[in-house]
Amino acid sequence: RIFFEKVYFSQNKNKENEKTLTIMWTDEKIGFTENKHLLISEEKIRENRVKIVKLISEKLPDWKIFIKPHPLVKSVSEVKKILGQISNNVSIVEPSEPADKYIEMSEVIVGMSLPSTTLFTASKQNPDKIIMFLNLMDEFLGDVYKNFDGIEYIDSEDKFINVLNLIYDNKYHKELAVNSGFDFSDVNELLDYIYSRHLKTKI
């Protein structure tokens, strides 16, 4: 935490805005299921993401919602093409903008498959924030944040809706671990953990 604060976060300090949520938009076009490794088509990926954005905007109508595309996403127009007509409370920001800026200014951070280290960084940047990881299509490697302290792992639409309702009603309470076993020293250590954990679940 001290290292992140001095070297990383200090460059992107922004006051947190109440009722602000950021969706971390990954650049994957297709996927595979975890159990049978079946192909998840580009169309299914698009439909899932549209559903996620619509659910958030509908359940949190008076919130400001940002979509922060991964830097590998070519442009804002690429995301707009997928989403089509979006609600007035949803804004798509430039892929080149730093993720930390939106982590710092948001009350809620939402990640989706495939997993990245962004949510891990967010949990270190501010452990009190509501951080969710969505795995609604049982994607390959989609369970790496399951049972991860400080990150709400969501694998069903019903659970997702329930959490959004709790947030809207200001009744969501984040459970913070007293002594987390996931205090990695750097990103490489996190990636080693993710890889080894996935292998162990397959043995």
Side-chain angles (χ1 to χ4, degrees):
R1 170 71 190 181
I2 295 172
F3 169 80
F4 275 109
E5 187 65 44
K6 289 184 177 180
V7 178
Y8 198 51
F9 303 149
S10 59
Q11 300 176 15
N12 294 289
K13 278 291 183 185
N14 292 278
K15 183 179 179 182
E16 178 178 283
N17 298 318
E18 291 185 355
K19 295 187 176 182
T20 301
L21 178 149
T22 294
I23 303 168
M24 296 299 174
W25 185 280
T26 59
D27 66 314
E28 277 73 26
K29 301 291 191 299
I30 61 171
F32 294 90
T33 60
E34 176 70 27
N35 293 322
K36 296 184 178 180
H37 298 261
L38 299 175
L39 176 70
I40 303 174
S41 68
E42 185 172 355
E43 181 181 1
K44 290 293 185 184
I45 294 289
R46 287 198 305 265
E47 289 175 356
N48 183 58
R49 295 192 180 189
V50 169
K51 177 172 66 177
I52 287 169
V53 174
K54 283 186 175 179
L55 277 174
I56 293 173
S57 63
E58 288 171 4
K59 296 298 178 180
L60 304 175
D62 57 342
W63 281 53
K64 181 66 178 176
I65 299 163
F66 292 104
I67 295 176
K68 168 59 183 77
H70 188 278
L72 290 178
V73 175
K74 292 179 181 179
S75 65
V76 169
S77 60
E78 181 179 327
V79 181
K80 285 183 177 178
K81 185 177 180 181
I82 293 172
L83 293 176
Q85 186 68 34
I86 57 176
S87 174
N88 292 332
N89 64 333
V90 178
S91 299
I92 306 168
V93 304
E94 289 295 333
S96 58
E97 288 203 65
D100 338 16
K101 170 184 174 181
Y102 291 92
I103 291 172
E104 191 70 28
M105 68 189 290
S106 298
E107 219 180 312
V108 180
I109 313 296
V110 178
M112 59 180 73
S113 293
L114 284 173
S116 72
T117 57
T118 304
L119 296 191
F120 165 70
T121 302
S123 70
K124 294 298 180 183
Q125 186 165 341
N126 193 327
D128 296 326
K129 288 184 184 292
I130 301 172
I131 304 171
M132 293 185 275
F133 179 76
L134 308 181
N135 181 27
L136 304 184
M137 301 182 72
D138 187 33
E139 291 191 55
F140 178 64
L141 291 178
D143 64 346
V144 294
Y145 280 118
K146 188 176 183 179
N147 301 321
F148 197 104
D149 291 330
I151 297 177
E152 179 90 43
Y153 173 76
I154 298 175
D155 58 359
S156 74
E157 186 175 330
D158 287 343
K159 183 177 180 180
F160 186 36
I161 291 172
N162 182 57
V163 170
L164 290 175
N165 286 336
L166 289 173
I167 291 172
Y168 180 77
D169 293 333
N170 200 27
K171 294 180 179 179
Y172 181 90
H173 298 289
K174 182 171 183 176
E175 295 183 9
L176 296 176
V178 176
N179 184 18
S180 172
F182 302 109
D183 193 15
F184 304 109
S185 59
D186 56 32
V187 171
N188 288 330
E189 191 174 333
L190 169 66
L191 294 175
D192 287 342
Y193 163 76
I194 291 173
Y195 181 68
S196 63
R197 181 180 181 277
H198 183 70
L199 288 182
K200 288 177 182 177
T201 61
K202 299 302 168 189
I203 294 175

